[in-house]
């Protein structure tokens, strides 16, 4: 079976999208479903290409047992053909990404990650923590985790993955 290919996208590819990628892998690992996915992260900008994730993102991820090691890369045209789902962090990313897509039939692959957050309350942005504090990275972690749990539920509802039955 083909893997489900998912790309997380933010502006710099050093804070939110590497965190979302790490959290997603950690979440599906808990269901032993990691073999079903190919996951990557990219930035709309080239600001930090080749850099490791921001040390504050690394620190909050490590607190939850998640290692972040990917080097930043910029979103490329071929990503729109390759990935089944492109999950962006905020409306600015959404505008940037959708304006780059030449083949408009691929638009339906683009989602705001936070549209899967059960507590989003009509705010569908994962806030940019770059100019923030450790607490902002904690908040981003929690938002991404809730959103990714929602996204995994969405994949299960679509019949694309099967989650273990909760007998509790
Ligand atoms: P990210 O955060 O998009 O979540 O990786 C940012 C990283 C760098 C910058 C902005 C946001 N920057 O302006 O350099």
């Amino acid at each position: 079976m083909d893997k489900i290919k998912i790309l997380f996208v933010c502006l710099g590819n050093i804070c939110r999208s590497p965190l979302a990628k790490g959290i997603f892998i950690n979440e599906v690992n808990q269901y032993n479903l990691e073999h079903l996915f190919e996951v990557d992260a990219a930035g709309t900008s080239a600001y930090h290409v080749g850099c490791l994730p921001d040390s504050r993102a690394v620190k909050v991820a490590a607190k939850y047992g998640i290692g972040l090691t990917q080097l930043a890369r910029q979103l490329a045209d071929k990503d729109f053909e390759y990935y089944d789902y492109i999950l962006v962090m905020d409306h600015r990313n959404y505008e940037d990404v959708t304006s780059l897509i030449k083949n408009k039939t691929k638009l339906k692959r683009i989602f705001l990650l936070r549209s899967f957050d059960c507590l989003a309350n009509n705010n569908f942005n994962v806030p940019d923590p770059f100019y923030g504090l450790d607490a902002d990275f904690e908040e981003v972690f929690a938002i991404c985790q809730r959103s990714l749990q929602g996204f995994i539920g969405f994949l299960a509802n679509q019949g694309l993955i099967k989650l273990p039955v909760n007998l509790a």
Side-chain angles (χ1 to χ4, degrees):
M1 203 178 90
D2 282 349
K3 292 194 178 197
I4 301 169
K5 300 194 267 313
I6 300 168
L7 183 68
F8 296 100
V9 174
C10 61
L11 174 62
N13 192 212
I14 55 168
C15 300
R16 292 166 292 176
S17 60
L19 265 174
K21 174 183 166 180
I23 296 167
F24 180 81
I25 292 168
N26 191 52
E27 291 292 320
V28 293
N29 242 317
Q30 291 175 25
Y31 300 119
N32 289 321
L33 294 179
E34 64 281 4
H35 59 284
L36 297 180
F37 297 96
E38 182 177 333
V39 189
D40 200 8
T44 55
S45 78
Y47 301 157
H48 300 279
V49 167
C51 296
L52 281 165
D54 185 285
S55 59
R56 298 162 297 174
V58 172
K59 186 168 138 193
V60 71
K63 188 172 153 188
Y64 297 96
I66 299 169
L68 303 183
T69 54
Q70 92 148 57
L71 302 180
R73 74 169 178 90
Q74 190 174 21
L75 183 70
D77 263 351
K78 60 178 174 9
D79 292 323
F80 300 126
E81 300 299 323
Y82 189 72
Y83 287 94
D84 301 308
Y85 296 95
I86 297 181
L87 296 172
V88 303
M89 300 298 142
D90 60 28
H91 282 90
R92 178 179 170 190
N93 304 149
Y94 189 86
E95 297 299 322
D96 289 343
V97 169
T98 53
S99 68
L100 287 171
I101 296 184
K102 296 188 187 85
N103 178 352
K104 297 297 178 197
T105 65
K106 306 293 182 194
L107 279 173
K108 59 183 186 298
R109 300 178 177 208
I110 319 298
F111 295 84
L112 281 159
L113 173 62
R114 206 170 179 192
S115 63
F116 298 101
D117 178 1
C118 58
L119 299 182
N121 213 3
N122 279 336
N123 173 6
F124 298 118
N125 293 322
V126 179
D128 181 349
F130 187 63
Y131 294 104
L133 304 169
D134 282 352
D136 300 296
F137 281 79
E138 282 281 358
E139 187 194 6
V140 164
F141 188 98
I143 291 170
C144 286
Q145 189 174 43
R146 277 199 313 272
S147 303
L148 290 163
Q149 287 165 352
F151 178 62
I152 290 166
F154 163 81
L155 294 176
N157 284 337
Q158 298 282 307
L160 293 170
I161 59 171
K162 214 165 148 29
L163 297 179
V165 179
N166 184 355
L167 298 174

